[in-house]
Amino acid sequence: MMSLPEISIRRPVFAWMLMAALILFGYVSFGRLGLSQLPDVDSPVVSVSLSLPGAAPEVVESQVLDPIEDAIMELDGIKSVSSTAQQSSGSISIEFEFNRDIDQAMREIQNKINQVSNVLPINLVPPTVRKSNPEDQPILWVAVTSNDPNERPIDMMLYARNYLYDRFTTIPGIGNVVLGGYVDPALRVWLDLKKLESNNLTSDDLLASIQKEQIERPAGRLEGKEKEANVRVLGEATSPEDFSQMMIQSRAGLGANYKLTRLKDIATVEEGVADVRRISRFNGKRAVALGMLKQHGSNAVEVANLIRKRLEEIRPTIPQKYNVEIRSDNTRFIKQSVDSLIFTLGLSALLTSLVCYLFLGSWTSTINVLMAIPTSIIGSFTAFLFFNFTLNTFTLLGLSLAIGIVVDDAIMMLENIVRHQELGETKRNAALKGSKEITFAAIAATLAVVAIFLPVVFMDGVIGRYFLQYGVTVTVAVLLSLLEALTLTPMRCSRYLTVSHHPTGMAGMVDRFFVRLASGYGKILEVLLRNRAITLVTAL
């Protein structure tokens, strides 16, 4: 039965097609890979956000957090539960064991909350359940500011929400757009206490009237012998002026209010925003920021480029009083990582070619070794696509490290084949004999490297989730380098390798230096072998 080196030497087309397939499929896979800063890892943490308007922290804790916590504690696989109560809001963080299905855990938490909904306050906003993922952070922020000092913040907020928001959410690869410094619009009713008291009214009277009057109820339809018509009662005001015309129909404790009293008689109504708890500024100006979140697995750099392109497309339509600029772009770190990888590839290829030429004195030997780099590195992208990996800090780190390792097997194979050629063998016979002698050593050396990096895959915890891609990257690249060394390197050596028996120039100087070094090494070995006991004791 023929070995892989022998098959490749006797069937060179097979070896060339294998190399072409690895590079071609790797190139196609590279175009489909996502590009991000960190691996797409779902942390085993689920957060529950709760909102109870107007409630004190003690009320949020006793009436909301405690019942939900008691229900959630019945679930399996919980590692820890922590909660925080604030004015009008609260949050619960549930950490699960790493072997727990987070999506299933989210559904179970939602079911538990539904089970205790009958004991929760009526005005509790529906809780939000979400899982923690480092990738759920904006990759780019767009800031909107105004040049007009008299511009109302609400106008800028509505422009960002009603126009810019929709233009960016339609970009391919965008998962969501969050608004920073945005506050929902609201009508503000400012009461005049003196007028309120003179009319024997309270704030509760106004609140009851607003809740009763500002509503549009179904009015049914009018039916005739020949036709029918839908009826609509316009019960909602469309402007602050219309809203201020509302009648105060009743007074608390005094029954109906027979005095003609309108809302404008006791209060000032204006268009404004809800309570402002946080603001956003850009270059010292009040701003509204749009944070762009990419879809999981998508190319962050490509999405950022599409955002910039879309911004330039809509820039002519932006009113002159507004400035819309890129505030921050986190993808620049990813670009720097990719540029660093390309630089490392080029530098490693240059240094490897120089070392091979100095030691072997042959450019054909140098090219043979360099061919191992694209075969192993580009071929690894196919495995990335299969394992649903992205190009991120950890995979790029693994590739940068693997570049210095993937040439080892090729150099080992090449050196032994060159040795046989220097002994007078033909290219074909030297390739057959040299590859046969070194096959087991190449496999052993590769498995030794795999034994170092593959166990990283089995690390526990959050760090293990991240380093999984790192370990797989190095392992796949090294195994592909072994495949290249056992197939492509012997085939190329059997056809194209030319060995100079008397190297000249710098290669000749290096060759003569190592000849002298080998001679001195041989003399040292003779001394050590004559004094074996002393040598063993010294080593011990």
Side-chain angles (χ1 to χ4, degrees):
M1 183 177 179
M2 292 190 295
S3 61
L4 275 177
E6 189 175 357
I7 293 174
S8 301
I9 294 171
R10 298 183 186 277
R11 302 287 187 271
V13 175
F14 161 76
W16 282 118
M17 293 302 296
L18 178 62
M19 177 180 177
L22 287 173
I23 295 178
L24 178 62
F25 284 111
Y27 176 77
V28 173
S29 300
F30 177 80
R32 299 180 180 181
L33 291 176
L35 196 61
S36 57
Q37 187 172 1
L38 295 173
D40 188 8
V41 175
D42 286 335
S43 301
V45 177
V46 177
S47 300
V48 181
S49 300
L50 305 150
S51 178
L52 185 61
E58 293 80 6
V59 176
V60 174
E61 179 183 6
S62 60
Q63 297 187 13
V64 180
L65 296 181
D66 289 346
I68 295 179
E69 282 184 352
D70 293 340
I72 291 176
M73 290 302 295
E74 299 176 1
L75 298 178
D76 296 330
I78 292 180
K79 189 174 182 180
S80 65
V81 176
S82 60
S83 61
T84 303
Q86 299 175 347
Q87 181 71 26
S88 304
S89 65
S91 63
I92 303 175
S93 179
I94 308 101
E95 182 180 2
F96 290 88
E97 300 292 343
F98 283 96
N99 57 354
R100 191 72 156 84
D101 187 344
I102 297 301
D103 293 327
Q104 178 65 26
M106 288 181 61
R107 290 190 290 268
E108 293 179 2
I109 291 175
Q110 188 65 61
N111 291 336
K112 289 296 183 181
I113 294 176
N114 294 335
Q115 291 176 8
V116 297
S117 59
N118 60 324
V119 299
L120 298 176
I122 298 177
N123 57 339
L124 177 69
V125 178
T128 302
V129 181
R130 65 181 186 276
K131 57 185 176 183
S132 175
N133 191 318
E135 283 291 283
D136 294 336
Q137 297 294 330
I139 61 172
L140 185 146
W141 284 93
V142 176
V144 184
T145 57
S146 176
N147 299 321
D148 186 0
N150 298 321
E151 175 79 7
R152 296 187 308 167
I154 182 60
D155 295 332
M156 185 171 58
M157 294 176 184
L158 291 177
Y159 176 76
R161 186 195 68 178
N162 298 336
Y163 180 74
L164 295 179
Y165 180 89
D166 294 335
R167 299 303 300 271
F168 286 113
T169 53
T170 56
I171 296 176
I174 288 290
N176 190 19
V177 177
V178 297
L179 295 174
Y182 171 83
V183 184
D184 289 322
L187 282 180
R188 310 293 293 191
V189 179
W190 304 103
L191 300 179
D192 188 321
L193 296 181
K194 293 182 178 179
K195 294 181 179 180
L196 196 68
E197 183 179 356
S198 64
N199 286 274
N200 294 325
L201 294 173
T202 65
S203 58
D204 290 339
D205 298 333
L206 269 67
L207 181 60
S209 296
I210 292 174
Q211 293 175 343
K212 180 179 179 181
E213 298 294 331
Q214 182 67 10
I215 186 172
E216 186 168 322
R217 295 184 176 89
R221 62 178 181 267
L222 294 176
E223 297 182 356
K225 294 182 178 180
E226 299 181 355
K227 61 180 180 180
E228 64 179 30
N230 293 326
V231 177
R232 179 187 176 189
V233 177
L234 299 178
E236 294 183 350
T238 58
S239 66
E241 291 74 17
D242 293 340
F243 192 85
S244 64
Q245 298 294 329
M246 185 181 303
M247 297 291 297
I248 309 302
Q249 301 289 349
S250 62
R251 293 177 293 179
L254 298 177
N257 183 18
Y258 296 105
K259 182 180 179 181
L260 181 61
T261 306
R262 299 185 183 275
L263 184 59
K264 67 177 183 178
D265 297 332
I266 57 176
T268 301
V269 181
E270 65 179 17
E271 188 177 3
V273 296
D275 294 339
V276 178
R277 297 296 182 185
R278 58 180 61 91
I279 62 173
S280 175
R281 291 187 181 276
F282 179 61
N283 290 336
K285 296 181 179 180
R286 183 75 176 268
V288 179
L290 293 92
M292 312 297 173
L293 280 73
K294 73 179 186 69
Q295 295 176 353
H296 290 183
S298 60
N299 189 320
V301 175
E302 182 179 352
V303 173
N305 291 335
L306 292 175
I307 293 172
R308 293 178 179 274
K309 182 179 179 181
R310 178 62 57 85
L311 179 58
E312 294 304 318
E313 290 176 355
I314 66 176
R315 192 174 294 281
T317 64
I318 298 175
Q320 294 183 355
K321 61 181 179 179
Y322 293 134
N323 286 327
V324 182
E325 303 292 342
I326 302 293
R327 193 193 75 177
S328 64
D329 185 0
N330 295 333
T331 60
R332 66 180 185 273
F333 302 111
I334 305 174
K335 296 177 184 177
Q336 293 172 359
S337 299
V338 175
D339 293 340
S340 176
L341 173 64
I342 295 174
F343 174 78
T344 305
L345 280 168
L347 182 61
S348 64
L350 177 63
L351 295 178
T352 302
S353 61
L354 178 61
V355 171
C356 290
Y357 178 73
L358 290 178
F359 278 78
L360 300 177
S362 170
W363 283 113
T364 55
S365 301
T366 301
I367 295 174
N368 265 308
V369 172
L370 293 182
M371 293 297 286
I373 295 178
T375 305
S376 304
I377 299 301
I378 298 179
S380 300
F381 296 142
T382 305
F384 287 6
L385 187 64
F386 178 78
F387 290 118
N388 199 26
F389 288 176
T390 60
L391 288 176
N392 53 70
T393 302
F394 288 86
T395 52
L396 292 177
L397 178 64
L399 289 177
S400 300
L401 176 64
I403 291 172
I405 302 176
V406 296
V407 296
D408 291 351
D409 292 334
I411 292 176
M412 188 188 308
M413 184 70 69
L414 179 68
E415 190 277 333
N416 201 48
I417 294 174
V418 168
R419 183 176 66 85
H420 278 277
Q421 281 203 29
E422 290 177 342
L423 294 176
E425 299 282 353
T426 62
K427 293 180 181 180
R428 184 182 179 89
N429 290 336
L432 286 170
K433 293 182 180 180
S435 60
K436 183 177 180 180
E437 292 174 355
I438 210 69
T439 295
F440 184 78
I443 295 174
T446 301
L447 293 181
V449 176
V450 171
I452 296 173
F453 291 98
L454 190 59
V456 175
V457 176
F458 302 100
M459 290 177 61
D460 293 330
V462 177
I463 300 300
R465 297 290 185 91
Y466 287 116
F467 275 93
L468 179 143
Q469 298 194 14
Y470 169 79
V472 171
T473 297
V474 178
T475 300
V476 169
V478 171
L479 290 176
L480 288 178
S481 73
L482 174 63
L483 178 63
E484 197 277 342
L486 296 180
T487 55
L488 301 172
T489 300
M491 181 275 295
R492 291 193 297 263
C493 290
S494 68
R495 291 177 170 268
Y496 309 111
L497 181 62
T498 301
V499 177
S500 175
H501 297 280
H502 302 286
T504 59
M506 184 62 70
M509 294 175 58
V510 174
D511 183 67
R512 290 189 292 273
F513 169 76
F514 278 100
V515 168
R516 297 191 186 95
L517 186 62
S519 177
Y521 175 63
K523 294 178 181 179
I524 294 174
L525 283 180
E526 292 178 1
V527 175
L528 295 177
L529 291 175
R530 286 197 300 267
N531 302 275
R532 298 178 182 178
I534 297 177
T535 301
L536 290 175
V537 171
T538 304
L540 181 61

